[in-house]
Amino acid sequence: MSHDGVGLRAVMRSVAFLTAGALAVPALAGCSAKDPAGKPLAEPDVAPVTRAMVADGGTLSWAVDSVPETLNTFQADADGTTTRVAQAVLPSMYRLDANGRPQVNPDYLEKAEVVETEPKQVVLYKLNQQAVWSDGREIGAADFAAQWRALSGKDTAYWTARNAGYDRIERIERGKNDLEVKVTFERPYADWKSLFSPLYPKDVMGTPDSFNDGARKKLKVSAGPYRLKEVDRKDDEVTLDRNPRWWGHPAKLDEIVLRAVPREERAAALAEGKLDLAEIDPESVKRITVAAGPRRGASSTPLMGPGSDLGAADSLRSWAVANGSDEEAADDEISAREQQRRAVTTYARQQRALRGFEVRRSLEPAYTQLALNGADGPLADERVRRAVARALDREALASVVLTPLGLPAEPVGSHLALSGQAAYADNSGALGGQDTAEAQALLTDAGWVRGGPLKEKKKEEKAAGAEGEKAGKKAKDGDDDTYIVGEDDKARREADREKKKDPKHLAQDGKQYADKLKQGGAPGAYAPRGTAAPAGTAAGALAKDGKPLTLRFVLPSGPGSQTLGTVADRISGMLRKVGIRTEISKVEDESYFKDHIASGQYDLALYSWPASAFPATDGRPIYAKPVPAADGSLNVEQNYTRVGTDQVDQLFDQAMATLDERESRGLIRKADSRIWAAAGSIPLYQRPQLTAARKNVVNAGAFGFRTPLYEDMGFLKKGARPVASPTAK
């Protein structure tokens, strides 16, 4: 699973967590002082230049998380790479600007507008007269109609991941000529601009077989600045080359190679010339920053790398063993020293190569949140959830992640949009800010009192507790109220597996979206029930009905999880101050959503959601009130916190059916206020977007909200200079 981020629509569309990039469209006029949407906290950082300054030709090697299982963005196993390919090779009626707002894509669309509202909503699309598929056929109404029929949800033979919006269309027909497409809606739909982006040819959407299988491994027909040349699963590469039938500005690059490289291996791949562009983690940022430091006086800076922490005593001991009388030990030590020498040499060579790269920084169109599972346990009580939220210093949590990276450290104020987007407003006041006294008062009101009596455990429970204590370990800061669960507690794991078989705790649609989420460093992990706290921690803790107030905090264990671990430690410390203990457990990334979050086996968890330009459509499944399904299971859609209200659902429905954009935004903001008040999830900070780029790569990097303009990417002409990158605000 990827640890980087991507926009909810891109996620759901390509499926799953998204990637938004850069556009060559005029920026929106500045928001007025009264506009709560404000401006993006950070601008795109892409080394922008005019097309005249970009060299013709060349191949750009761009890191991705995986070679996609499907090239159909509307299937459940599509991923961020699926979206990236679709952006480069397929039509899109709208694309996002630097503020995360949809703008007409003039390469495909002259204009689109609502021409009737009564008796039904009618949208008229006027297509670019030059727009053709790579086989020479004009893009037209037949393609729109085929996509609608495939995604409407009426024919279950199509294996679609979603049908939002398409299920509201009544009919699609040709307008006055071949360049006009007339779409009539059965029910009003405010987010109609979300449709037909991307648009697939009728040959893909026309039959269930072609939809389900035809576009999984190849795209025979395309209509973008690039076309799909090859999907090489042996070498984990997808190659795009220029589309000779492209009618817009010709692509500057000969080819774009999307190369699957794990995050932890990207710094080395950059240094070895295998990559020109790659999203990277903070550790790789440090390597590139050190490599780009001043050349003079470099000897005064210690080389960081393999063996760099070897002290004088260790070095002397190593020399003594290598030169001692024990020949076997001496051979082993000499071999180890030789391996270390080679590692240091390789690292130094890589650092020299990394001088040719720079780090481009922005903020992803996604935010990290603290999720509170309200299905059962202490957090089923809204007062306890609100107490957790009021205990958090969100400014401090944002700062610990973003300040060291030189990015603006402002906490996110909305569940449904980010600063700069039309629907954004800081609605966190509906819940309130950090207030220890108020948090403690809420807990007291909920019946949790300090020093309450604890029921005596049975002998078997005591024995299990002793095993858990032996398997676990204290947190690094010595906190008695934060406990890290050992991974070998078989009894508790078996009990949890049995619990997961209970259909009441299963999410019908959880698996479908599990692999789509960008985790901001990593997904989480499942903390089993019943883990005993270390001896002596019960005294003075909050308790109710003989049970201590302890919350299971799930965290990831894979590469890139350090940031979330740091945030979790800070959160645990904040909760400890109000009397809430946390029990931290870590599991493998691959099982996070499927086995733990989707099935509701957690109390607290950290994961990320993308922002969407269409929050009425994309936000509803995340915050809709869970409902029982016919088979007795709980249909939570994507609402993994299991917290929802009828009022929030009604506000979403009203916003989706309101064609007045100002009124629709107002309804979205009201819904967000209610989501804050329910305290099922607490937005923390916008995710950092860190991209390593070869210094002569231009019009590419950390795109922020913008959809990438693929035809303008390339290498800087010799002698030209890029515009200075914008400063994060």
Side-chain angles (χ1 to χ4, degrees), residues 604-615:
L604 303 175
L606 290 169
Y607 54 87
S608 298
W609 279 120
S612 171
F614 308 102

Side-chain angles (χ1 to χ4, degrees), residues 467-597:
E467 282 297 314
E469 183 175 342
K470 181 179 179 181
K473 60 179 180 179
K474 299 283 184 69
K476 290 183 178 180
D477 60 2
D479 169 24
D480 285 340
D481 293 332
T482 302
Y483 194 63
I484 300 177
V485 178
E487 295 183 354
D488 58 345
D489 194 332
K490 297 181 180 179
R492 282 180 285 112
R493 286 179 180 273
E494 183 61 32
D496 292 323
R497 279 194 291 269
E498 290 301 317
K499 182 174 182 60
K500 284 188 288 184
K501 295 178 183 178
D502 185 345
K504 292 185 296 182
H505 296 276
L506 296 177
Q508 284 191 334
D509 295 341
K511 183 177 180 180
Q512 174 176 326
Y513 301 106
D515 295 333
K516 321 263 194 282
L517 300 177
K518 299 262 184 190
Q519 296 319 319
Y526 166 49
R529 293 176 181 270
T531 305
T537 61
L542 294 181
K544 179 181 180 180
D545 298 330
K547 298 180 180 179
L549 180 50
T550 303
L551 301 179
R552 301 163 294 155
F553 203 155
V554 303
L555 285 177
S557 61
S561 63
Q562 295 88 343
T563 297
L564 289 187
T566 300
V567 173
D569 287 343
R570 296 295 182 95
I571 289 173
S572 294
M574 294 171 184
L575 296 181
R576 182 171 68 252
K577 292 180 181 178
V578 300
I580 299 174
R581 294 186 300 172
T582 54
E583 202 174 66
I584 293 177
S585 183
K586 300 183 178 183
V587 298
E588 295 180 359
D589 297 353
E590 291 75 13
S591 66
Y592 175 52
F593 274 96
K594 182 179 66 173
D595 297 333
H596 310 304
I597 301 304

Side-chain angles (χ1 to χ4, degrees), residues 206-283:
T207 68
D209 286 344
S210 61
F211 179 91
N212 297 339
D213 298 317
R216 288 190 65 81
K217 306 301 181 185
K218 56 187 176 181
L219 289 172
K220 295 180 180 179
V221 178
S222 58
Y226 290 88
R227 63 184 178 181
L228 181 67
K229 180 180 179 181
E230 182 183 18
V231 177
D232 186 342
R233 298 188 179 278
K234 180 179 179 181
D235 291 334
D236 285 336
E237 293 179 354
V238 177
T239 302
L240 312 177
D241 66 354
R242 283 197 191 103
N243 178 5
R245 284 189 174 270
W246 174 243
W247 57 93
H249 292 302
K252 285 291 185 177
L253 293 162
D254 293 323
E255 292 184 339
I256 296 176
V257 177
L258 304 176
R259 182 166 289 138
V261 180
R263 297 263 165 169
E264 63 274 17
E265 297 176 14
R266 289 183 182 177
L270 289 162
E272 292 166 6
K274 296 179 180 178
L275 294 173
D276 302 303
L277 191 68
E279 288 192 20
I280 55 175
D281 56 26
E283 290 304 312

